[in-house]
Amino acid sequence: MRSFISNPLLLTTLLFVAVSVCSSEPDHVTELEQQIQISTQSQKVDAIIAYMKVSFFFRSKLALAYGEQALKLLERYPNNRQAALVYLYMARAVLYEDDLSQAKVWAMQSEKIAQRSGLGGIEASAALVRGEIAFTLRDYEQAKKLIIFAIERSNQVQDRAVEGRAHGVLGKLYKSLLQYDLSLRHYLQGLDIYLKLNDRLSASKSHEYLASLYRKMGVFEKTLLHQREALKMARALEDNRSIAVITSNLGTYYKDVRDYERAIEMHQESLRIKHTLNYQRGIIHSYNQLGNLHYLAGDLESAEYYLTQAITLAGDLEKPAHVASAYLYLGRVYRVKGDMSLAESHLLKSLELFRKSFREASLAKVHLELARLYMQNEALEKATIQLDNAERIASLHGSEALLTNIYREQSDVYKATGDYNAALMSLHSYLSLSEVLAKRSKQHRIQSLIIEHDLEDKALAIESLTQENKIKALELEQQKTQNRLYLIGLMLVFLVLFFLYNWRAKNTQLKIEAAALQKVKTANRRLSLALWGSGDTLWDWDLVNGIMVRENQLEGLRLPPEVIGTHIDVFKPLVHPDDFEELKQRFTDHLQGRSEFYEVSYRVLTNTGDWLWILDRGRVTERSEHGDALRLSGTFKNISKIKASEYALSELNASLEQRVEERTETLKRSRDELAMALEELTKTQEHLFEARKMAALGRLVVGVSHELNTPLGTSVTANSLLKDKFKQFQSQLNESTLTRNDTEQFMEVASSCITLLEANITRAAELVQRFKLICVDDGSQPEQRFMMSDVLAGFQTLHRSDDKVTVHCDCPADLAVTSDRQTLSTVLEGLYQNSVDHGFANKTEGNIWIQVKICSQKVILYFSDDGEGIESESASSLFDPFYTTRRHDGHVGLGLYIVFSQVTHLLRGQIAYQARSEGGACFVIQIPQMIETS
């Protein structure tokens, strides 16, 4: 804990946790809790059921408390449907609390009530929960029966949502039984159901299941594809619960491909959301994962902090399985730190806690870590015992990926103890299992494509049959409609003839009335549109009766009612005191005939107590025979914006000079700040360039050592064994105790060792030759003048015998280039081999196009193929040393790096990758060399 406060990342996390604990729950859950509080009797039970439906997983304890409250209410107000649902969600809640016995009791109670009441959907859901319990207890046959029953029952009652969830659980079951083809089929069926129901939340979970399955199968590109699709759906729904789970899983998948930076980013996002949701168990999981990731990334202090947090929180919540994982990861951290006693103590605690939980498969990881600890302490006998335990448990639970690591560690232990036969056997087991896993991954990939294709064909066939049935139904309905229309037509002819005379007689009169009415409507409509368009209010004041009528009245004004009297003083309380006298003077002048009309602007009181500027215009429309005004008409409109603009313009003119001076001073300061920022940026770029060069050199050294380690290590082991056997053979020969059987055994061991040495030394030699190509010598080949078309013709001839790939070239015949011809041929050969190994790996045939153009004294060469293409996530790392997506097939990851080095250093050019819209890959090479056209 001594360096945590100095770590900015950890300090930021601590601050965020403090804020998150105080944050409120999502609005939807809060609304449901409020609904529970304000509801009564049976409505309260429905509110509790709605809350439990969305919270049994994230807030299981609170959901159980509400469930108990609902059961007490149901004792007074019985309702079978409500009771069955309450027991169902309580069973699901305690299932996530690992109380399997209580979950089974409540699930059976729910199923019993639903079966007795004919509630087929709830009956299927309860059976499904029982199936999940049996699955957790590894009673796979019973689990399969219950889940299949849930599928059939939900299908009978047309409850597609339960059917989709049952397919997902059955997919999990088959995945545990390693029957990946059946698992994939059920996962895809569940996804199809949810998509047809437009249930995007459940569809998102189905994508998660598919991602988990593809990860198990080793198909990582589809793993990330489905996981990202799940995350996209969850974010579109703004479902923080699902986003928290999906980002956590996505972080795990990034860890599998060793992208630790993005994995940490995903788990931190998940942790933030879980704090907002107050999802304690999920927070423990995120702490464990972040601790493990920081350990893998080499940040031991951050790893220790997160794992300590996990142990503290998990201990408070009494979650032994989560505590066990934290102890395992923390023991690994202390081992790397060199604190062996503390590491052993934590690993033994982890072993004890895993034995108490249902996660027996995790025991193998703890035994493996203990073995590494004892090997580091040179306690080889203890290490051997731990490795044997790890191998036994991993084999029992089918953890083949873990077995490969165990075999490698066993080989090292046996070699250290001098048991070279056992070391060779373990090494052979490691190589064999690695090869089996690689082949199985390919088989799973092909099998998944076949299953997806079959399901698509079935979906298309079902859709085709549905369309045919609809067409037939429409044809029958059309025939019935036609028959009815014939009968109706005959009746209509009679009615038309009967009413024709009356209609014709009345038609003339109706036309006259309609024309008059239309003129009135048109005039009124034009008036209304004119008033609406101008924003004016039309008023008419009957001075005899004291009545005022208004049209299109402005909203919010505090105007007098319809009956207002005959004097202007009625408006005095509503007009601003500073404006009323002017209004009254102009109004009086017009009434007395001293002006043609009156026009005045003044402020009127609104309903909110504010003042609104209006422009009022009017004139007398009717006078008596003595000249007294009898009626006035006019308009007024809102001019507040105009007045505000006038005031703003006045203030702007007054402060313009001062603002110009302030702006000039601000621009001078900005110029000086920009100059300083530019200087700082230049220095930062120089430091970043040096750091990037050192990082690239480090990656290159690590990659070379890693690739050479395996063949050289194997060669050393074989050589040691051969040396030992030779001494034994020589000793028996000198003592004359050598038998034929001893000779045959020695020859067999010698033959095996020689074969192993030859294969691994050849492999090492090939790697060294490839590493030599990394070291580019600018003067390795003299520059010479040659025709570009000759180079391409020779390349095309060289590969003409390849039945799998066809090479097409397009180059100006008269293009002459002065450059390194041998290096250019090597670059083309490297790109060709990349297309064959990666683009056409799963294709029986393919095409390569090479097109050469001239642009601004540069030769631009396009090398493209119609292969499988390159994932966008891999494009940025194509030219990095030791980067490859097919390391399991023996590829080192130096091909494109060598091409890049030769183009940039020897040809003094540039190379870049670009995706093809029609599929495949394309590399663009520019050679800024001496070029001339003959």
Side-chain angles (χ1 to χ4, degrees):
M1 300 293 290
R2 55 188 175 278
S3 63
F4 289 165
I5 303 303
S6 62
N7 189 324
L9 171 62
L10 296 179
L11 186 57
T12 303
T13 303
L14 286 170
L15 291 173
F16 174 76
V17 169
V19 174
S20 298
V21 169
C22 300
S23 63
S24 62
E25 292 183 323
D27 293 339
H28 179 57
V29 178
T30 304
E31 289 174 2
L32 290 175
E33 284 195 281
Q34 292 173 351
Q35 189 64 34
I36 294 173
Q37 303 304 323
I38 64 176
S39 300
T40 58
Q41 299 179 4
S42 63
Q43 293 180 350
K44 184 183 287 289
V45 177
D46 283 332
I48 291 174
I49 291 172
Y51 177 83
M52 294 177 71
K53 183 177 181 180
V54 299
S55 303
F56 69 87
F57 176 78
F58 283 89
R59 306 191 66 194
S60 54
K61 291 185 177 179
L62 187 56
L64 287 171
Y66 277 126
E68 295 287 353
Q69 184 179 348
L71 291 178
K72 292 180 180 179
L73 289 171
L74 286 169
E75 291 178 0
R76 289 184 289 169
Y77 310 102
N79 184 303
N80 288 338
R81 184 191 66 82
Q82 292 177 337
L85 286 173
V86 170
Y87 279 120
L88 174 64
Y89 291 128
M90 290 178 71
R92 297 186 72 179
V94 296
L95 176 60
Y96 286 107
E97 288 290 324
D98 295 329
D99 189 350
L100 301 182
S101 58
Q102 186 60 59
K104 185 176 181 181
V105 170
W106 280 337
M108 293 179 68
Q109 184 70 11
S110 175
E111 186 176 11
K112 181 180 178 181
I113 296 172
Q115 190 176 16
R116 185 175 63 240
S117 306
L119 303 171
I122 302 177
E123 180 186 358
S125 295
L128 183 57
V129 172
R130 291 179 57 207
E132 292 182 77
I133 296 170
F135 172 44
T136 306
L137 295 172
R138 287 192 285 278
D139 188 354
Y140 297 126
E141 288 302 320
Q142 179 67 11
K144 191 185 302 182
K145 290 179 182 178
L146 289 167
I147 298 169
I148 291 174
F149 169 77
I151 292 175
E152 294 173 349
R153 188 73 179 101
S154 59
N155 199 317
Q156 291 172 0
V157 297
Q158 296 296 307
D159 193 334
R160 301 304 304 281
V162 176
E163 183 183 355
R165 193 165 68 86
H167 278 295
V169 177
L170 193 55
K172 284 185 182 179
L173 174 62
Y174 283 125
K175 185 179 74 171
S176 297
L177 297 175
L178 306 181
Q179 298 179 20
Y180 297 142
D181 54 340
L182 294 176
S183 177
L184 180 59
R185 287 183 185 276
H186 285 286
Y187 279 155
L188 290 173
Q189 286 178 357
L191 176 60
D192 181 63
I193 289 172
Y194 291 133
L195 291 176
K196 289 178 179 177
L197 292 174
N198 197 26
D199 186 351
R200 291 186 295 170
L201 178 60
S202 299
S204 171
K205 292 180 181 178
S206 292
H207 279 296
E208 286 188 74
Y209 295 153
L210 284 165
S212 174
L213 176 62
Y214 280 122
R215 179 196 181 203
K216 195 83 170 178
M217 296 165 66
V219 187
F220 290 106
E221 64 274 13
K222 288 194 175 182
T223 299
L224 292 175
L225 173 68
H226 283 285
Q227 198 65 26
R228 286 170 181 157
E229 188 65 26
L231 183 59
K232 182 173 71 174
M233 287 184 173
R235 281 178 171 162
L237 294 169
E238 298 182 355
D239 183 3
N240 284 337
R241 292 176 172 82
S242 296
I243 294 173
V245 175
I246 295 169
T247 51
S248 177
N249 292 337
L250 195 54
T252 302
Y253 301 148
Y254 280 127
K255 183 196 74 175
D256 291 342
V257 296
R258 300 182 181 180
D259 190 349
Y260 300 134
E261 183 177 351
R262 295 183 71 178
I264 290 172
E265 180 184 342
M266 289 292 101
H267 280 294
Q268 284 178 339
E269 180 180 355
S270 177
L271 179 62
R272 287 195 295 270
I273 298 173
K274 289 171 182 176
H275 274 297
T276 303
L277 298 172
N278 196 25
Y279 176 31
Q280 299 294 313
R281 187 165 62 176
I283 293 172
I284 299 170
H285 177 75
S286 293
Y287 279 148
N288 274 337
Q289 294 302 316
L290 284 168
N292 188 31
L293 283 167
H294 281 294
Y295 160 76
L296 294 173
D299 187 357
L300 299 182
E301 295 299 324
S302 297
E304 183 179 358
Y305 165 74
Y306 280 115
L307 294 172
T308 304
Q309 290 288 94
I311 290 174
T312 302
L313 183 56
D316 294 340
L317 296 177
E318 299 179 355
K319 299 294 181 184
H322 291 79
V323 180
S325 297
Y327 275 122
L328 169 60
Y329 297 147
L330 199 54
R332 189 184 299 168
V333 170
Y334 288 135
R335 178 179 63 81
V336 175
K337 280 188 169 185
D339 194 341
M340 299 305 174
S341 60
L342 194 57
E344 183 179 19
S345 171
H346 280 76
L347 291 174
L348 291 175
K349 289 179 182 177
S350 174
L351 199 64
E352 180 182 356
L353 289 169
F354 273 132
R355 284 173 177 157
K356 295 179 180 179
S357 68
F358 292 100
R359 303 181 182 180
E360 295 180 359
S362 300
L363 292 172
K365 297 180 182 178
V366 185
H367 284 300
L368 177 59
E369 199 59 40
L370 281 168
R372 289 171 176 165
L373 174 67
Y374 293 140
M375 286 177 63
Q376 197 167 337
N377 282 342
E378 297 183 357
L380 300 181
E381 184 176 351
K382 289 184 176 181
T384 302
I385 295 172
Q386 295 297 331
L387 286 172
D388 290 342
N389 291 333
E391 180 186 4
R392 175 179 53 80
I393 297 172
S395 300
L396 178 63
H397 291 276
S399 304
E400 295 175 322
L402 185 61
L403 274 172
T404 58
N405 293 328
I406 295 172
Y407 287 142
R408 290 194 65 175
E409 297 291 345
Q410 282 181 333
S411 177
D412 292 340
V413 171
Y414 288 137
K415 184 172 66 174
T417 58
D419 191 349
Y420 296 110
N421 274 331
L424 272 176
M425 290 177 63
S426 297
L427 185 60
H428 177 71
S429 298
Y430 162 72
L431 295 173
S432 300
L433 184 56
S434 298
E435 184 178 357
V436 168
L437 292 177
K439 289 181 179 178
R440 186 179 299 164
S441 177
K442 292 180 181 178
Q443 291 172 355
H444 290 327
R445 190 185 304 272
I446 295 171
Q447 203 171 42
S448 67
L449 291 174
I450 293 172
I451 292 172
E452 290 171 358
H453 180 71
D454 288 345
L455 291 176
E456 287 177 2
D457 285 347
K458 290 180 180 178
L460 289 174
I462 292 171
E463 184 177 357
S464 176
L465 289 173
T466 303
Q467 292 296 331
E468 289 179 4
N469 291 333
K470 287 182 179 179
I471 291 171
K472 289 179 181 179
L474 287 173
E475 289 176 351
L476 292 173
E477 187 64 28
Q478 184 178 12
Q479 185 65 36
K480 293 179 181 178
T481 303
Q482 287 176 352
N483 294 335
R484 295 190 188 114
L485 288 175
Y486 290 146
L487 180 60
I488 294 171
L490 292 174
M491 296 177 64
L492 286 175
V493 169
F494 175 75
L495 292 173
V496 168
L497 292 174
F498 180 77
F499 289 106
L500 184 60
Y501 177 78
N502 291 332
W503 175 82
R504 187 173 183 182
K506 293 180 180 179
N507 188 43
T508 304
Q509 181 64 29
L510 290 174
K511 283 183 177 179
I512 296 171
E513 294 177 358
L517 182 61
Q518 184 63 35
K519 289 181 180 179
V520 175
K521 289 182 177 179
T522 302
N524 289 336
R525 188 181 301 112
R526 287 174 179 170
L527 178 61
S528 297
L529 288 174
L531 291 174
W532 172 81
S534 64
D536 292 350
T537 296
L538 177 66
W539 55 266
D540 182 74
W541 191 359
D542 184 355
L543 294 175
V544 177
N545 300 313
I547 297 174
M548 177 175 281
V549 179
R550 302 182 183 91
E551 294 287 342
N552 195 40
Q553 181 169 319
L554 290 175
E555 295 181 359
L557 292 183
R558 193 181 298 178
L559 295 175
E562 183 178 357
V563 180
I564 65 172
T566 61
H567 201 276
I568 190 66
D569 287 340
V570 71
F571 290 94
K572 186 172 183 179
L574 308 176
V575 178
H576 197 282
D578 297 341
D579 303 331
F580 180 73
E581 290 302 324
E582 182 180 3
L583 168 64
K584 183 176 180 180
Q585 182 64 43
R586 296 195 182 187
F587 185 81
T588 305
D589 289 345
H590 178 62
L591 288 185
Q592 294 175 359
R594 290 194 289 270
S595 62
E596 248 183 79
F597 60 91
Y598 82 90
E599 182 180 51
V600 61
S601 58
Y602 54 88
R603 286 164 283 186
V604 180
L605 195 63
T606 67
N607 293 330
T608 60
D610 299 322
W611 295 102
L612 184 72
W613 279 98
I614 64 171
L615 175 63
D616 192 2
R617 304 180 69 192
R619 66 184 300 172
V620 175
T621 58
E622 186 179 347
R623 291 183 182 270
S624 67
E625 58 184 10
H626 302 295
D628 297 329
L630 301 178
R631 182 180 295 275
L632 283 90
S633 297
T635 61
F636 64 82
K637 66 190 306 180
N638 182 0
I639 60 170
S640 296
K641 292 184 179 178
I642 297 174
K643 287 291 185 180
S645 299
E646 291 176 356
Y647 289 144
L649 183 60
S650 176
E651 293 178 359
L652 178 63
N653 290 333
S655 61
L656 183 60
E657 183 176 351
Q658 181 181 355
R659 291 175 63 186
V660 170
E661 293 178 357
E662 292 176 354
R663 180 62 58 87
T664 303
E665 184 64 27
T666 302
L667 289 174
K668 289 177 63 178
R669 288 198 302 270
S670 299
R671 183 193 62 193
D672 296 340
E673 292 173 357
L674 286 173
M676 294 176 64
L678 180 60
E679 182 180 356
E680 187 68 24
L681 179 61
T682 303
K683 293 179 180 179
T684 303
Q685 286 176 335
E686 293 175 356
H687 291 312
L688 287 175
F689 179 72
E690 291 298 325
R692 186 174 180 181
K693 287 199 301 183
M694 295 305 295
L697 178 59
R699 287 196 302 271
L700 184 60
V701 171
V702 171
V704 170
S705 62
H706 175 73
E707 292 297 333
L708 286 176
N709 183 57
T710 299
L712 291 179
T714 305
S715 300
V716 169
T717 302
N719 182 65
S720 299
L721 176 61
L722 181 60
K723 183 178 179 181
D724 185 62
K725 291 295 182 180
F726 180 76
K727 288 181 179 179
Q728 181 180 352
F729 179 81
Q730 189 177 33
S731 174
Q732 290 175 333
L733 182 63
N734 292 335
E735 295 173 1
S736 299
T737 60
L738 185 66
T739 65
R740 179 181 181 85
N741 186 40
D742 294 335
T743 304
E744 289 176 349
Q745 288 183 355
F746 173 74
M747 294 300 290
E748 182 179 353
V749 172
S751 176
S752 298
C753 291
I754 291 171
T755 302
L756 194 60
L757 281 169
E758 183 179 2
N760 283 275
I761 291 172
T762 302
R763 173 64 175 167
E766 291 174 353
L767 290 173
V768 170
Q769 289 300 320
R770 301 204 72 179
F771 297 153
K772 285 182 179 179
L773 295 176
I774 299 174
C775 304
V776 178
D777 183 5
D778 289 344
S780 60
Q781 293 291 337
E783 296 178 352
Q784 53 183 312
R785 189 173 185 273
F786 56 88
M787 304 301 293
M788 181 64 76
S789 58
D790 292 343
V791 174
L792 297 183
F795 179 78
Q796 197 172 18
T797 302
L798 178 63
H799 296 289
R800 185 166 294 162
S801 60
D802 191 342
D803 296 334
K804 183 177 181 180
V805 181
T806 304
V807 180
H808 311 272
C809 296
D810 180 12
C811 176
D814 56 351
L815 176 60
V817 180
T818 302
S819 185
D820 188 341
R821 178 170 182 163
Q822 181 62 35
T823 300
L824 180 59
S825 299
T826 305
V827 168
L828 293 175
E829 187 63 31
L831 293 176
Y832 175 87
Q833 195 61 42
N834 178 72
S835 294
V836 171
D837 291 343
H838 299 278
F840 307 134
N842 298 319
K843 299 182 68 173
T844 57
E845 60 182 19
N847 293 280
I848 290 176
W849 294 272
I850 304 175
Q851 184 181 18
V852 181
K853 295 181 179 180
I854 305 172
C855 181
S856 302
Q857 297 301 308
K858 290 183 180 180
V859 173
I860 303 177
L861 187 147
Y862 298 89
F863 189 100
S864 57
D865 62 47
D866 59 354
E868 295 182 359
I870 298 172
E871 295 289 341
S872 57
E873 293 82 358
S874 303
S876 59
S877 306
L878 281 178
F879 302 110
D880 291 350
F882 300 102
Y883 177 80
T884 177
T885 59
R886 302 190 63 194
R887 192 172 300 279
H888 58 275
D889 289 337
H891 293 278
V892 180
L894 290 176
L896 289 180
Y897 175 69
I898 293 171
V899 168
F900 176 82
S901 299
Q902 290 175 332
V903 170
T904 55
H905 295 288
L906 298 184
L907 299 180
R908 296 189 289 280
Q910 297 176 351
I911 182 171
Y913 164 76
Q914 66 181 27
R916 298 177 75 235
S917 59
E918 59 270 31
C922 178
F923 295 89
V924 182
I925 300 174
Q926 293 187 13
I927 307 176
Q929 193 61 22
M930 295 175 58
I931 304 171
E932 61 185 25
T933 305
S934 60

